[in-house]
Amino acid sequence: MEKTKFTILGESLSGKTCYLLGMYNKMNEGINGYTIVAQDDDLDAELFEKFEKLDDESRGSGRFPVATDGVQKYLFNLNYAHKPIMPFEWIDYPGGLLREKNNADPEQYKEISSNIQDSSTLFICVDGALLVSDDIERKIRNVKRKCSMTINRYFGKYFEAGGKLPPVGIIITKFDLCVQYTNPDEIRKILEQAFSPFFVTDDTLIAVIPVSLGTYIKDDDYHGEVDPLNIHLPIFMGIWFALLEQINVYKYQIASNESSINDLKWLKDDEEDSFFLWRDDDKIRRLAGQISDKKDEIQRMKQLIKNAEENSEMFEKELNSINMLFIDGKWQ
Ligand SMILES: Nc1nc2c(ncn2[C@@H]2O[C@H](COP(=O)(O)OP(=O)(O)O)[C@@H](O)[C@H]2O)c(=O)[nH]1
Ligand SMILES: [Mg+2]
């Protein structure tokens, strides 16, 4: 099966790494028995250490991770009751990579598109600092100039080349900065204007999720405490869609096993009906064995579907708190 992937796009300094650190810390502790664990111990140690630094109020603005350019990939496992239920890859592309098409390596550019296409959810970070103003036109301009212009240009080409959009999570990062300057109605208007190519196609799903590391984190020159808002929701959304995809893959595999069973049965019946002198009993036994293996495989898939459905219920319940959802051409 294809590995589950999530792609996150956003300008440098828009809060992608901080989101990941906050998310990892929260999900590493776990919610309702679900935990996220780095596949590699070194990565686990690195993320943990960076989060501890972030959580250290005494460092002030020195608490934040050092900015990095270039693509970053992280491998995680989603566990339930400490058992892996879904390995996944988190791919972080800074805005610059989308912009550098002409001078960048064409292979890498192609890889971005194929990763987006294969992602169970595409996340786009919009820096909440761009919404700090009393003037909606100004906020739209900010988001266009400092965020969506590059992304829209990239996706113009992506759509032209036949690329399909996975479900999209627009993460408004640093929501603590802009919470008193905006509201859900206004955010809907701003995003529709700034990301218009995403809002014109019919079969899109866009969830808008404001997140923050803490309401007061910025106070006293970034000496405020870490108290994350909604930090689990984007990853829950991603996992929920990945589980739905898994269920579909299993259903497809069941159907294909059922059709092979029919073919095998037909061959077996045919052999059984043949005149006894020519009948090949070994072949009949072999076919019976193959049929029984396929039936076992179907049972196994049915159990996996049941597990995935049970898991997806918990995620779906949590996702009910997302109140900015755009599905099939309209806000819900
Ligand atoms: N007020 C506030 N600032 C944040 C928050 N998250 C990140 N920042 C600030 O944004 C900067 C860039 O974040 P980072 O995650 O490194 O951005 P990246 O380049 O997209 O990975 C940090 O150094 C912090 O100063 C947040 O939740 N609230
Ligand atoms: Mg970063």
Side-chain angles (χ1 to χ4, degrees):
M1 191 188 297
E2 272 283 333
K3 187 164 48 183
T4 299
K5 278 183 197 168
F6 303 117
T7 298
I8 182 160
L9 303 176
E11 289 298 308
S12 291
L13 298 181
S14 62
K16 300 181 297 297
T17 305
C18 287
Y19 173 72
L20 181 67
L21 295 177
M23 182 281 277
Y24 188 65
N25 180 262
K26 177 118 186 178
M27 290 308 300
N28 199 248
E29 279 169 19
I31 296 183
N32 297 340
Y34 292 88
T35 47
I36 289 178
V37 183
Q39 287 182 18
D40 176 285
D41 285 344
D42 288 345
L43 174 61
D44 177 67
E46 180 196 322
L47 294 177
F48 187 73
E49 200 180 298
K50 285 187 176 158
F51 183 81
E52 271 195 322
K53 212 164 152 191
L54 192 68
D55 202 23
D56 180 356
E57 290 106 335
S58 71
R59 288 171 170 268
S61 43
R63 66 206 295 185
F64 295 106
V66 182
T68 41
D69 279 331
V71 48
Q72 285 175 291
K73 297 179 177 181
Y74 307 86
L75 291 171
F76 296 104
N77 280 327
L78 172 71
N79 292 352
Y80 180 69
H82 305 294
K83 290 205 185 61
I85 57 170
M86 187 196 285
F88 67 88
E89 186 173 22
W90 180 268
I91 311 171
D92 174 327
Y93 284 114
L97 283 188
L98 300 184
R99 201 177 283 118
E100 286 158 6
K101 189 202 172 208
N102 295 323
N103 21 15
D105 152 10
E107 281 307 309
Q108 186 173 48
Y109 188 80
K110 257 208 290 203
E111 194 199 294
I112 303 179
S113 300
S114 81
N115 280 332
I116 290 171
Q117 176 99 15
D118 292 345
S119 286
S120 299
T121 297
L122 167 69
F123 295 108
I124 296 175
C125 274
V126 177
D127 188 336
L130 301 173
L131 306 181
V132 178
S133 164
D134 289 321
D135 173 5
I136 178 166
E137 293 307 325
R138 175 127 192 241
K139 295 181 221 189
I140 294 172
R141 245 182 357 256
N142 279 344
V143 177
K144 281 187 176 166
R145 284 180 48 228
K146 306 223 172 96
C147 173
S148 64
M149 205 161 73
T150 314
I151 294 178
N152 290 343
R153 278 171 58 81
Y154 179 85
F155 276 90
K157 302 199 179 79
Y158 176 84
F159 292 136
E160 249 173 52
K164 294 244 169 344
L165 202 59
V168 179
I170 298 185
I171 306 178
I172 316 252
T173 53
K174 314 181 196 176
F175 199 61
D176 52 293
L177 297 182
C178 63
V179 60
Q180 73 268 40
Y181 290 94
T182 192
N183 58 61
D185 264 347
E186 193 197 64
I187 291 175
R188 290 187 189 101
K189 283 190 199 125
I190 294 171
L191 295 177
E192 268 187 66
Q193 294 282 322
F195 287 94
S196 55
F198 288 78
F199 287 90
V200 290
T201 41
D202 274 346
D203 51 353
T204 43
L205 183 147
I206 302 172
V208 183
I209 309 174
V211 305
S212 156
L213 289 174
T215 314
Y216 305 108
I217 188 146
K218 186 172 170 289
D219 288 8
D220 189 17
D221 195 19
Y222 280 97
H223 285 76
E225 70 164 331
V226 169
D227 176 18
L229 167 79
N230 289 343
I231 209 111
H232 65 299
L233 285 180
I235 190 70
F236 273 28
M237 168 185 176
I239 291 168
W240 189 65
F241 281 108
L243 285 167
L244 294 187
E245 270 175 13
Q246 272 192 348
I247 291 173
N248 281 333
V249 170
Y250 295 143
K251 286 187 174 160
Y252 175 81
Q253 285 171 347
I254 288 179
S256 107
N257 274 313
E258 278 168 347
S259 110
S260 324
I261 288 180
N262 281 338
D263 294 347
L264 292 165
K265 273 191 175 147
W266 189 85
L267 289 172
K268 181 168 162 277
D269 289 348
D270 192 47
E271 195 60 41
E272 281 168 345
D273 288 345
S274 61
F275 184 58
F276 77 98
L277 279 180
W278 286 283
R279 195 183 300 149
D280 180 348
D281 287 332
D282 272 352
K283 184 174 177 188
I284 292 173
R285 255 193 305 277
R286 206 171 58 242
L287 289 167
Q290 285 172 356
I291 291 171
S292 142
D293 287 350
K294 299 253 177 245
K295 283 185 176 164
D296 290 349
E297 186 63 11
I298 290 178
Q299 282 316 311
R300 201 177 67 84
M301 296 286 164
K302 284 188 173 161
Q303 187 57 45
L304 288 172
I305 290 182
K306 200 165 154 257
N307 297 348
E309 278 172 351
E310 276 167 19
N311 290 329
S312 78
E313 268 170 35
M314 193 285 286
F315 292 99
E316 192 178 350
K317 223 180 283 161
E318 291 281 333
L319 291 174
N320 281 330
S321 60
I322 297 180
N323 62 4
M324 288 179 270
L325 258 187
F326 184 86
I327 304 175
D328 293 339
K330 51 183 185 296
W331 291 99
Q332 304 297 300

